[in-house]
Amino acid sequence: MKLQADSLYLKRANKEVLRGISFSVAKGEVYALLGGNGAGKSSTLLCFLGFLQPTSGHLRVDQKELSEDLVTARKKIAYLPESASLYEHLNATENIRYFLELAGKQAQACAIDAALDQVSLATSARQQTLRNYSKGMRQKVAIALAILRDTEILLLDEPTSGLDPSAIDEFHTIVRNLADRGKTILMVSHDVYGACQVADKIGLLRDGVLVGEFSSADGQSIDTELVHQAFSNPQQQLSRSPTDRKQ
Ligand SMILES: Nc1ncnc2c1ncn2[C@@H]1O[C@H](COP(=O)(O)OP(=O)(O)O)[C@@H](O)[C@H]1O
Ligand SMILES: [Mg+2]
């Protein structure tokens, strides 16, 4: 297993945000952690990056305990935060070159172009500053950067929120291709349809508890209806008032 969370508990500001979650992601797999606002999705990613310290439980990257060698683990991971922080006054190529250098890597112009080809960023846009880019175009630059970092693992935080439907489809195709070429992808989302479209496995997170897991079988996508029902079914949500359920 490339990524593993085992009985993970996390407290933030004295609130139990993750309550014993366990899941694992194999090489070449897309795992979507699905949940409403405040379910603990971003917190889970921050734990894998070592930015948040779990109260108890285990996090493993490539079978190794994360806390034992955080530096090595981080080198294997590229992270796309909820809103990619790129520089508005630089163009796509300049942004990529700058952030790659920060990550201790260099890339030839042709390699950057190849990565931008892979994410289908229009050639005419590449020399323009990001000021006039749509959110979808920015996400493409961010994912091209992740491709060039060439890490084994990608953590994506709500990568399609704010994108239009065709940009979402396009993004999912890119993610699927990356996984099919051996990348391990953990993405978090509140989009049931999108998660079913792209993921091999879905973990349903509700108030810090993993309440269900769904897997694709025989190359078929996960059943959207099934996941949707589980996602909106409040039965497993004990002792919460309806107004608390911000799904
Ligand atoms: N910066 C923070 N400081 C303290 N608590 C936080 C912070 N961010 C989030 N939390 C708590 O963690 C819970 C889970 O948040 P988060 O992981 O961001 O959820 P999600 O990404 O699923 O919307 C929130 O309900 C909130 O109580
Ligand atoms: Mg979040």
mmCIF file of all heavy atoms in Angstrom, residues 174-197:
data_model
loop_
_atom_site.group_PDB
_atom_site.id
_atom_site.type_symbol
_atom_site.label_atom_id
_atom_site.label_comp_id
_atom_site.label_asym_id
_atom_site.label_seq_id
_atom_site.Cartn_x
_atom_site.Cartn_y
_atom_site.Cartn_z
ATOM 1 N N ILE A 174 -7.622 13.607 -16.759
ATOM 2 C CA ILE A 174 -6.193 13.765 -16.448
ATOM 3 C C ILE A 174 -5.825 12.913 -15.232
ATOM 4 O O ILE A 174 -4.840 12.178 -15.231
ATOM 5 C CB ILE A 174 -5.863 15.253 -16.169
ATOM 6 C CG1 ILE A 174 -6.078 16.096 -17.427
ATOM 7 C CG2 ILE A 174 -4.440 15.404 -15.663
ATOM 8 C CD1 ILE A 174 -6.137 17.601 -17.162
ATOM 9 N N VAL A 175 -6.655 12.994 -14.188
ATOM 10 C CA VAL A 175 -6.393 12.245 -12.950
ATOM 11 C C VAL A 175 -6.386 10.740 -13.244
ATOM 12 O O VAL A 175 -5.514 9.996 -12.793
ATOM 13 C CB VAL A 175 -7.449 12.603 -11.876
ATOM 14 C CG1 VAL A 175 -7.405 11.626 -10.704
ATOM 15 C CG2 VAL A 175 -7.210 14.026 -11.378
ATOM 16 N N ARG A 176 -7.365 10.307 -14.024
ATOM 17 C CA ARG A 176 -7.471 8.869 -14.356
ATOM 18 C C ARG A 176 -6.216 8.410 -15.106
ATOM 19 O O ARG A 176 -5.643 7.360 -14.817
ATOM 20 C CB ARG A 176 -8.734 8.685 -15.200
ATOM 21 C CG ARG A 176 -9.313 7.322 -15.351
ATOM 22 C CD ARG A 176 -9.675 6.671 -14.045
ATOM 23 N NE ARG A 176 -8.662 5.680 -13.713
ATOM 24 C CZ ARG A 176 -8.585 5.063 -12.551
ATOM 25 N NH1 ARG A 176 -9.444 5.304 -11.580
ATOM 26 N NH2 ARG A 176 -7.639 4.197 -12.310
ATOM 27 N N ASN A 177 -5.784 9.237 -16.082
ATOM 28 C CA ASN A 177 -4.585 8.875 -16.851
ATOM 29 C C ASN A 177 -3.361 8.772 -15.960
ATOM 30 O O ASN A 177 -2.534 7.881 -16.131
ATOM 31 C CB ASN A 177 -4.303 9.920 -17.954
ATOM 32 C CG ASN A 177 -5.279 9.777 -19.099
ATOM 33 O OD1 ASN A 177 -5.880 8.718 -19.268
ATOM 34 N ND2 ASN A 177 -5.457 10.838 -19.870
ATOM 35 N N LEU A 178 -3.249 9.703 -15.011
ATOM 36 C CA LEU A 178 -2.102 9.665 -14.106
ATOM 37 C C LEU A 178 -2.107 8.381 -13.286
ATOM 38 O O LEU A 178 -1.083 7.728 -13.121
ATOM 39 C CB LEU A 178 -2.118 10.886 -13.167
ATOM 40 C CG LEU A 178 -1.768 12.229 -13.823
ATOM 41 C CD1 LEU A 178 -2.056 13.385 -12.872
ATOM 42 C CD2 LEU A 178 -0.303 12.251 -14.241
ATOM 43 N N ALA A 179 -3.286 8.013 -12.791
ATOM 44 C CA ALA A 179 -3.388 6.777 -12.002
ATOM 45 C C ALA A 179 -3.082 5.563 -12.871
ATOM 46 O O ALA A 179 -2.366 4.648 -12.445
ATOM 47 C CB ALA A 179 -4.774 6.662 -11.382
ATOM 48 N N ASP A 180 -3.591 5.583 -14.083
ATOM 49 C CA ASP A 180 -3.361 4.437 -14.977
ATOM 50 C C ASP A 180 -1.879 4.289 -15.317
ATOM 51 O O ASP A 180 -1.433 3.212 -15.695
ATOM 52 C CB ASP A 180 -4.199 4.570 -16.263
ATOM 53 C CG ASP A 180 -5.691 4.402 -15.962
ATOM 54 O OD1 ASP A 180 -6.026 3.875 -14.872
ATOM 55 O OD2 ASP A 180 -6.522 4.809 -16.792
ATOM 56 N N ARG A 181 -1.126 5.392 -15.176
ATOM 57 C CA ARG A 181 0.314 5.290 -15.404
ATOM 58 C C ARG A 181 1.088 5.094 -14.093
ATOM 59 O O ARG A 181 2.284 5.334 -14.010
ATOM 60 C CB ARG A 181 0.802 6.524 -16.159
ATOM 61 C CG ARG A 181 0.415 6.400 -17.656
ATOM 62 C CD ARG A 181 1.022 7.469 -18.489
ATOM 63 N NE ARG A 181 0.391 8.731 -18.155
ATOM 64 C CZ ARG A 181 1.053 9.863 -17.975
ATOM 65 N NH1 ARG A 181 2.332 9.924 -18.064
ATOM 66 N NH2 ARG A 181 0.388 10.964 -17.676
ATOM 67 N N GLY A 182 0.337 4.722 -13.027
ATOM 68 C CA GLY A 182 1.014 4.262 -11.812
ATOM 69 C C GLY A 182 1.057 5.239 -10.653
ATOM 70 O O GLY A 182 1.615 4.923 -9.601
ATOM 71 N N LYS A 183 0.488 6.436 -10.832
ATOM 72 C CA LYS A 183 0.472 7.360 -9.697
ATOM 73 C C LYS A 183 -0.587 6.917 -8.687
ATOM 74 O O LYS A 183 -1.606 6.323 -9.070
ATOM 75 C CB LYS A 183 0.138 8.789 -10.159
ATOM 76 C CG LYS A 183 1.068 9.326 -11.214
ATOM 77 C CD LYS A 183 2.415 9.695 -10.659
ATOM 78 C CE LYS A 183 3.292 10.319 -11.736
ATOM 79 N NZ LYS A 183 4.701 10.391 -11.342
ATOM 80 N N THR A 184 -0.344 7.254 -7.447
ATOM 81 C CA THR A 184 -1.303 6.951 -6.393
ATOM 82 C C THR A 184 -1.992 8.261 -6.019
ATOM 83 O O THR A 184 -1.309 9.239 -5.712
ATOM 84 C CB THR A 184 -0.557 6.385 -5.170
ATOM 85 O OG1 THR A 184 0.165 5.234 -5.605
ATOM 86 C CG2 THR A 184 -1.510 6.016 -4.050
ATOM 87 N N ILE A 185 -3.312 8.270 -6.069
ATOM 88 C CA ILE A 185 -4.008 9.545 -5.903
ATOM 89 C C ILE A 185 -5.057 9.473 -4.799
ATOM 90 O O ILE A 185 -5.942 8.627 -4.815
ATOM 91 C CB ILE A 185 -4.655 9.971 -7.244
ATOM 92 C CG1 ILE A 185 -3.536 10.144 -8.290
ATOM 93 C CG2 ILE A 185 -5.450 11.272 -7.073
ATOM 94 C CD1 ILE A 185 -3.970 10.387 -9.695
ATOM 95 N N LEU A 186 -4.895 10.366 -3.831
ATOM 96 C CA LEU A 186 -5.918 10.526 -2.799
ATOM 97 C C LEU A 186 -6.536 11.897 -3.011
ATOM 98 O O LEU A 186 -5.860 12.918 -2.916
ATOM 99 C CB LEU A 186 -5.285 10.430 -1.402
ATOM 100 C CG LEU A 186 -6.178 10.785 -0.210
ATOM 101 C CD1 LEU A 186 -7.414 9.879 -0.138
ATOM 102 C CD2 LEU A 186 -5.395 10.689 1.107
ATOM 103 N N MET A 187 -7.826 11.909 -3.375
ATOM 104 C CA MET A 187 -8.481 13.205 -3.544
ATOM 105 C C MET A 187 -9.651 13.315 -2.579
ATOM 106 O O MET A 187 -10.265 12.315 -2.213
ATOM 107 C CB MET A 187 -8.952 13.405 -4.980
ATOM 108 C CG MET A 187 -9.945 12.406 -5.499
ATOM 109 S SD MET A 187 -10.410 12.789 -7.206
ATOM 110 C CE MET A 187 -11.864 13.764 -6.944
ATOM 111 N N VAL A 188 -9.912 14.514 -2.129
ATOM 112 C CA VAL A 188 -11.074 14.701 -1.270
ATOM 113 C C VAL A 188 -12.062 15.583 -2.012
ATOM 114 O O VAL A 188 -11.679 16.448 -2.803
ATOM 115 C CB VAL A 188 -10.707 15.278 0.116
ATOM 116 C CG1 VAL A 188 -9.602 14.477 0.756
ATOM 117 C CG2 VAL A 188 -10.360 16.737 0.053
ATOM 118 N N SER A 189 -13.335 15.307 -1.781
ATOM 119 C CA SER A 189 -14.358 15.957 -2.586
ATOM 120 C C SER A 189 -15.701 15.909 -1.874
ATOM 121 O O SER A 189 -15.915 15.085 -0.986
ATOM 122 C CB SER A 189 -14.447 15.190 -3.913
ATOM 123 O OG SER A 189 -15.506 15.655 -4.690
ATOM 124 N N HIS A 190 -16.604 16.818 -2.277
ATOM 125 C CA HIS A 190 -17.982 16.637 -1.822
ATOM 126 C C HIS A 190 -18.891 16.346 -3.010
ATOM 127 O O HIS A 190 -20.109 16.362 -2.902
ATOM 128 C CB HIS A 190 -18.463 17.846 -0.997
ATOM 129 C CG HIS A 190 -18.388 19.145 -1.741
ATOM 130 N ND1 HIS A 190 -17.480 20.117 -1.429
ATOM 131 C CD2 HIS A 190 -19.078 19.592 -2.800
ATOM 132 C CE1 HIS A 190 -17.621 21.121 -2.275
ATOM 133 N NE2 HIS A 190 -18.587 20.828 -3.117
ATOM 134 N N ASP A 191 -18.267 16.067 -4.154
ATOM 135 C CA ASP A 191 -19.006 15.836 -5.387
ATOM 136 C C ASP A 191 -19.170 14.329 -5.630
ATOM 137 O O ASP A 191 -18.238 13.654 -6.069
ATOM 138 C CB ASP A 191 -18.223 16.504 -6.530
ATOM 139 C CG ASP A 191 -18.761 16.130 -7.906
ATOM 140 O OD1 ASP A 191 -19.920 15.678 -8.000
ATOM 141 O OD2 ASP A 191 -18.006 16.288 -8.883
ATOM 142 N N VAL A 192 -20.366 13.829 -5.313
ATOM 143 C CA VAL A 192 -20.633 12.393 -5.417
ATOM 144 C C VAL A 192 -20.428 11.916 -6.856
ATOM 145 O O VAL A 192 -19.741 10.921 -7.115
ATOM 146 C CB VAL A 192 -22.087 12.065 -4.981
ATOM 147 C CG1 VAL A 192 -22.409 10.601 -5.223
ATOM 148 C CG2 VAL A 192 -22.298 12.417 -3.518
ATOM 149 N N TYR A 193 -21.009 12.646 -7.800
ATOM 150 C CA TYR A 193 -20.958 12.220 -9.193
ATOM 151 C C TYR A 193 -19.507 12.136 -9.686
ATOM 152 O O TYR A 193 -19.087 11.139 -10.278
ATOM 153 C CB TYR A 193 -21.781 13.178 -10.065
ATOM 154 C CG TYR A 193 -21.667 12.874 -11.528
ATOM 155 C CD1 TYR A 193 -22.371 11.811 -12.095
ATOM 156 C CD2 TYR A 193 -20.826 13.630 -12.342
ATOM 157 C CE1 TYR A 193 -22.237 11.509 -13.439
ATOM 158 C CE2 TYR A 193 -20.688 13.340 -13.684
ATOM 159 C CZ TYR A 193 -21.400 12.283 -14.230
ATOM 160 O OH TYR A 193 -21.253 11.989 -15.558
ATOM 161 N N GLY A 194 -18.761 13.190 -9.422
ATOM 162 C CA GLY A 194 -17.366 13.239 -9.870
ATOM 163 C C GLY A 194 -16.538 12.141 -9.236
ATOM 164 O O GLY A 194 -15.725 11.498 -9.910
ATOM 165 N N ALA A 195 -16.746 11.909 -7.944
ATOM 166 C CA ALA A 195 -15.978 10.880 -7.246
ATOM 167 C C ALA A 195 -16.265 9.509 -7.869
ATOM 168 O O ALA A 195 -15.352 8.711 -8.102
ATOM 169 C CB ALA A 195 -16.322 10.874 -5.759
ATOM 170 N N CYS A 196 -17.540 9.256 -8.181
ATOM 171 C CA CYS A 196 -17.900 7.963 -8.781
ATOM 172 C C CYS A 196 -17.282 7.807 -10.155
ATOM 173 O O CYS A 196 -16.891 6.724 -10.572
ATOM 174 C CB CYS A 196 -19.420 7.818 -8.881
ATOM 175 S SG CYS A 196 -20.209 7.618 -7.286
ATOM 176 N N GLN A 197 -17.184 8.925 -10.860
ATOM 177 C CA GLN A 197 -16.655 8.899 -12.222
ATOM 178 C C GLN A 197 -15.168 8.519 -12.245
ATOM 179 O O GLN A 197 -14.729 7.765 -13.104
ATOM 180 C CB GLN A 197 -16.828 10.302 -12.810
ATOM 181 C CG GLN A 197 -16.701 10.401 -14.287
ATOM 182 C CD GLN A 197 -16.752 11.870 -14.731
ATOM 183 O OE1 GLN A 197 -16.733 12.798 -13.927
ATOM 184 N NE2 GLN A 197 -16.807 12.068 -16.015
#
